[in-house]
Amino acid sequence: MDEEVYIIPPAGYGKAEGKVCRLKKSLYGLKQASRQWNKELTTFLISQGFVQSKQDYSLFTRGSGVTFLVVLVYVDDVLITREATADIIPLKQALHQAFTIKDLGLMKYFLGIEVARSSAGTLLNQRKYLLDILKDAGLTACKPTTFPLPTHLKLPIDKGDLLPNLELYRRLIGRLLYLNITRPDISYSVQHLSQFVNQPREPHLQAALHLLRYLKGTINAGVFYPATTALDLIAYTDADWGRCISSRRSLTSFCIFLGGCLVSWKIKKQATVSKSSAESEYRAMSETMSELVWMAGLLRDLQIPLSLPLTLYYDNKVAQYIAANPVFHNRTKHLDIDCHYVRDKLQEGFLKTSYISSHCQLADIMTKPLSTTQHHGLAVNLGLVFHPSPT
């Protein structure tokens, strides 16, 4: 006869006084646990008629039109949406029968993101998460600032005293990176500060605390999505040539709007050193193009019609001339792959380029520190609102 294994309930578990738990199978804590769980849940959803997206493997869709159902999975947290709420009930019942789920009703708080709804639209912010960051840093009663980082701030890697507690800085930057999910206005600041997590020094910490004081003054800010809007996909891209003072690599930034709503943004240091500003801009265009192609595929999976060509705004006319010129010269030979990629999409009719002046370039907020007025103006144009709820 097989021997039965029993374990004592863990500390704090008071629902089974005087009893023990029978261990059926060990799952949590194993390296393969997350993969096995994802495999099991995916198999179940596919058996229910869902199709797994090739653009985002955590996205599952079923049906079309009024019967269209969407499931988004993050580990063991599942979001379900459909035009008619009553149509979701059979799926929740099937999930409960298979896995024993806890139904939390309409989404109000998900992975640290607060969701506020009204007839005007939906507001996403991380106020509670930010309050926890300020509390841990001891800055809940600090005096706010009006800009994330000083305009002419330059932080070298090797200047200043090393911090005695490196984990303090690293943990703070990690939490700020997650806060960036709903705060595009701090994208540049967080990217800049994250370069020093290997050996953070006193000036780096002071700059991070300055950013926290800015967040203290904009604690209720969040990204707002109107209830009714057109579904045109447009993008802004920008590059700051040689921004990094230690490596002289340029920064790529872009922000993508769907119907005037900010849905994707990114700032990243380029992999190689660019020899000119036009080269850095073209690499930024290529990076943005990749994101647009991915997003177009995702919208197709969500059955959202997309009108082509898409519009890409940038503020460098030289890059526009290179894109339109089919002849390569020695000066542009090293840009062969990026140029061909963007040009092919132009010829296919997938994309059209449009020049925009620098002061109207929304992606500029993600490439450099700006003055208070310019920073606030671009943040508002990105869709960031500074009131607690969409009333």
Side-chain angles (χ1 to χ4, degrees):
M1 184 175 66
D2 295 338
E3 182 180 358
E4 294 184 349
V5 180
Y6 296 91
I7 60 172
I8 300 175
Y13 181 77
K15 295 183 179 180
E17 295 292 340
K19 298 182 179 181
V20 295
C21 297
R22 180 180 178 180
L23 181 63
K24 291 184 177 180
K25 186 177 182 181
S26 178
L27 178 63
Y28 290 96
L30 299 180
K31 290 184 178 180
Q32 66 270 30
S34 57
R35 179 174 178 82
Q36 292 300 320
W37 160 247
N38 181 264
K39 181 179 178 181
E40 185 72 19
L41 182 58
T42 299
T43 302
F44 170 79
L45 290 174
I46 292 176
S47 69
Q48 295 292 313
F50 284 89
V51 177
Q52 189 173 24
S53 172
K54 301 301 181 184
Q55 310 297 327
D56 187 342
Y57 286 96
S58 62
L59 177 67
F60 298 82
T61 59
R62 187 180 70 184
S64 61
V66 295
T67 64
F68 187 58
L69 184 61
V70 179
V71 173
L72 187 64
V73 178
Y74 183 85
V75 191
D76 57 351
D77 294 311
V78 181
L79 292 179
I80 307 173
T81 183
R82 193 172 182 178
E83 185 175 347
T85 307
D87 296 334
I88 300 176
I89 296 177
L91 177 59
K92 291 195 292 187
Q93 292 174 343
L95 282 168
H96 183 71
Q97 185 176 3
F99 303 111
T100 310
I101 67 170
K102 183 178 181 181
D103 186 4
L104 299 179
L106 293 176
M107 183 176 64
K108 297 180 180 179
Y109 192 83
F110 184 73
L111 302 178
I113 302 173
E114 300 177 39
V115 182
R117 291 188 180 91
S118 75
S119 58
T122 302
L123 177 70
L124 304 181
N125 65 18
Q126 294 169 279
R127 185 177 184 276
K128 182 179 182 301
Y129 184 76
L130 177 54
L131 284 172
D132 292 339
I133 297 177
L134 293 173
K135 181 179 179 181
D136 291 346
L139 295 177
T140 53
C142 69
K143 182 178 179 181
T145 61
T146 57
F147 50 89
L149 290 180
T151 307
H152 301 291
L153 178 67
K154 293 183 179 180
L155 293 174
I157 295 178
D158 54 354
K159 298 294 179 64
D161 297 331
L162 284 172
L163 296 177
N165 186 359
L166 304 183
E167 291 302 319
L168 176 66
Y169 182 85
R170 292 169 180 171
R171 185 169 184 266
L172 174 59
I173 297 303
R175 300 178 78 177
L176 289 174
L177 284 169
Y178 188 71
L179 183 66
N180 187 47
I181 293 176
T182 60
R183 295 297 300 268
D185 56 324
I186 64 170
S187 295
Y188 169 76
S189 304
V190 176
Q191 183 276 335
H192 189 52
L193 295 173
S194 65
Q195 298 177 93
F196 312 114
V197 292
N198 185 34
Q199 288 187 322
R201 299 174 181 269
E202 186 63 30
H204 308 149
L205 179 60
Q206 292 304 318
L209 295 178
H210 185 281
L211 176 58
L212 288 182
R213 287 193 285 271
Y214 165 75
L215 291 171
K216 172 62 165 55
T218 58
I219 198 167
N220 292 322
V223 183
F224 180 66
Y225 297 94
T228 57
T229 183
L231 296 179
D232 298 324
L233 194 64
I234 63 172
Y236 295 80
T237 183
D238 193 21
D240 197 356
W241 182 38
R243 164 57 60 174
C244 180
I245 61 176
S246 59
S247 66
R248 283 307 174 188
R249 294 182 182 180
S250 305
L251 291 181
T252 289
S253 69
F254 63 76
C255 48
I256 299 177
F257 292 80
L258 179 64
C261 302
L262 185 65
V263 293
S264 178
W265 61 92
K266 184 179 182 180
I267 175 174
K268 183 180 180 181
K269 189 186 296 186
Q270 295 182 0
T272 58
V273 177
S274 297
K275 295 182 180 179
S276 66
S277 59
E279 180 180 340
S280 64
E281 291 280 354
Y282 217 96
R283 296 191 190 280
M285 289 173 62
S286 179
E287 184 76 18
T288 309
M289 178 64 66
S290 299
E291 184 75 6
L292 284 171
V293 171
W294 173 81
M295 185 153 291
L298 186 64
L299 292 176
R300 283 194 298 268
D301 290 341
L302 293 172
Q303 301 182 11
I304 296 177
L306 193 62
S307 58
L308 298 179
L310 308 180
T311 304
L312 175 62
Y313 293 100
Y314 54 94
D315 56 3
N316 189 292
K317 287 190 175 181
V318 177
Q320 184 178 12
Y321 298 151
I322 296 176
N325 184 8
V327 180
F328 280 89
H329 304 283
N330 289 333
R331 293 183 179 180
T332 59
K333 185 168 59 177
H334 57 290
L335 284 175
D336 199 354
I337 295 177
D338 287 335
C339 284
H340 272 105
Y341 182 59
V342 177
R343 184 173 300 146
D344 287 347
K345 294 301 178 183
L346 286 170
Q347 293 175 350
E348 291 172 7
F350 178 82
L351 181 78
K352 66 176 181 179
T353 58
S354 181
Y355 175 78
I356 189 172
S357 60
S358 297
H359 71 276
C360 296
Q361 174 59 270
L362 299 185
D364 206 35
I365 195 175
M366 301 181 188
T367 57
K368 59 181 74 70
L370 303 172
S371 64
T372 300
T373 303
Q374 189 176 5
H375 178 87
H376 181 78
L378 291 178
V380 171
N381 288 333
L382 284 175
L384 205 66
V385 295
F386 296 90
H387 49 78
S389 61
T391 57

